[in-house]
Amino acid sequence: MQLTDRQEQILTYLRDEGRVTVEGLSSDLDVTCQTIRRDLGELCALGLAARVRGGARPLSPIANREYRERRLLHAPAKHQIGRHVASLIPNSCSIMLNIGTTTERVANSLSQHKDLRVVTNNANIINILIRSAAHELILVGGSVRPSDGAILGEDAIEFISRYKAEYAVVGASALDPDGAILDFDSREVSVARSILKNSRTRILACDSSKFEQIAPVRICDIEEIDIMVTDKCPPREFTQKADRGGTEIIVTESYGDSDAISSR
């Protein structure tokens, strides 16, 4: 299932306010109470909220959204990004991918590729590609985080260092206009850095909503990335820094099937 724009807005209210009412949402979003009740019912069925008398509350107050919620947010943009990133990857090459809902979209679009050697710390990506024509699927060793299938820790970093891939595809939780690429978990960041360090061409796959997020741990700067694929033009300051570093920014046409717009 894919969330509607209105349901995404309801989730934003839940995160910001901690609790919402049917009548309040009906007024704010200019729809009927019946429509809001249906939206809340669907969000609760997906495990993204819990019903209370007259409204709903969030299941968790943590800053980094639950993984299943993030899978549904901005799904059309992530789909387009995944398709365009996959179009940059040739058959018969090696590629590393990190944990993330957007890198999973990339994996979906890579499922028709042939003879890929895939190294990842994302157990979900292995499941996505298990029936593909990949030459080899390599799951990084280390501690598994049950909430999202991420494999983290020093063992994972050491494992990745044994390989050298032609391409790296990484996602991130937040982007700063000053060019910083950020995440919430220092363990995730360490693995992402290792993937970038051990790859020849480094691709960042992030939708534009990441400019609205704040995360504390720096993965790298945009100048250290070769290609960024996103759904909307980044802020001017960010683009200028990418230009100075020679990073190519590819902007997909939002939710359409047309070719991407590429700029340096």
Side-chain angles (χ1 to χ4, degrees):
M1 179 181 170
Q2 167 178 309
L3 297 182
T4 65
D5 290 343
R6 186 177 59 250
Q7 288 170 337
E8 289 192 14
Q9 185 63 52
I10 291 172
L11 288 176
T12 299
Y13 284 132
L14 281 165
R15 288 191 299 272
D16 293 346
E17 301 175 14
R19 178 169 174 161
V20 295
T21 66
V22 171
E23 290 186 356
L25 289 172
S26 173
S27 175
D28 290 343
L29 300 175
D30 195 26
V31 294
T32 66
C33 289
Q34 182 179 2
T35 296
I36 294 299
R37 290 190 186 97
R38 184 168 59 248
D39 284 337
L40 291 178
E42 291 177 357
L43 292 174
C44 292
L46 289 169
L48 304 180
R51 291 300 294 267
V52 296
R53 184 177 180 83
R57 62 170 176 81
L59 286 179
S60 172
I62 60 173
N64 195 7
R65 297 183 182 109
E66 291 291 341
Y67 202 67
R68 57 186 169 182
E69 176 185 337
R70 288 187 283 125
R71 270 195 176 128
L72 297 171
L73 290 172
H74 314 293
K78 292 176 183 178
H79 173 70
Q80 288 298 319
I81 290 167
R83 286 184 57 208
H84 284 292
V85 170
S87 73
L88 302 173
I89 308 299
N91 291 314
S92 305
C93 74
S94 56
I95 179 173
M96 293 188 186
L97 304 98
N98 75 336
I99 188 69
T101 60
T102 306
T103 52
E104 288 177 19
R105 293 286 182 154
V106 175
N108 274 304
S109 294
L110 287 172
S111 60
Q112 301 304 312
H113 279 50
K114 297 179 180 178
D115 299 321
L116 294 179
R117 176 176 279 106
V118 179
V119 180
T120 183
N121 72 318
N122 186 340
N124 303 309
I125 286 177
I126 298 296
N127 289 330
I128 289 167
L129 294 174
I130 196 72
R131 293 182 177 83
S132 72
H135 172 70
E136 188 176 14
L137 300 176
I138 301 167
L139 184 61
V140 169
S143 301
V144 180
R145 187 167 59 192
S147 63
D148 59 5
I151 299 173
L152 307 170
E154 292 301 320
D155 288 342
I157 295 167
E158 193 278 330
F159 189 103
I160 290 166
S161 70
R162 303 176 199 168
Y163 294 86
K164 187 74 174 184
E166 292 164 86
Y167 293 89
V169 178
V170 299
S173 293
L175 300 171
D176 195 282
D178 71 1
I181 299 163
L182 306 159
D183 222 311
F184 291 98
D185 190 327
S186 60
R187 298 171 302 164
E188 285 186 45
V189 166
S190 295
V191 173
R193 286 176 180 164
S194 184
I195 287 173
L196 292 171
K197 178 181 178 181
N198 291 287
S199 300
R200 295 184 178 89
T201 299
R202 295 154 296 182
I203 300 173
L204 173 66
C206 274
D207 69 84
S208 57
S209 72
K210 302 298 168 48
F211 284 104
E212 301 168 7
Q213 305 301 318
I214 298 174
V217 190
R218 184 188 298 267
I219 299 172
C220 65
D221 287 332
I222 188 60
E223 297 146 306
E224 300 170 66
I225 296 294
D226 297 299
I227 303 169
M228 175 183 177
V229 182
T230 188
D231 60 310
K232 294 180 182 178
C233 289
R236 183 178 179 83
E237 180 185 357
F238 188 93
T239 302
Q240 288 174 337
K241 192 159 189 180
D243 287 342
R244 288 194 294 270
T247 303
E248 181 180 6
I249 297 179
I250 297 176
V251 180
T252 65
E253 293 190 0
S254 297
Y255 320 141
D257 293 323
S258 302
D259 291 338
I261 302 167
S262 178
S263 64
R264 277 193 185 272

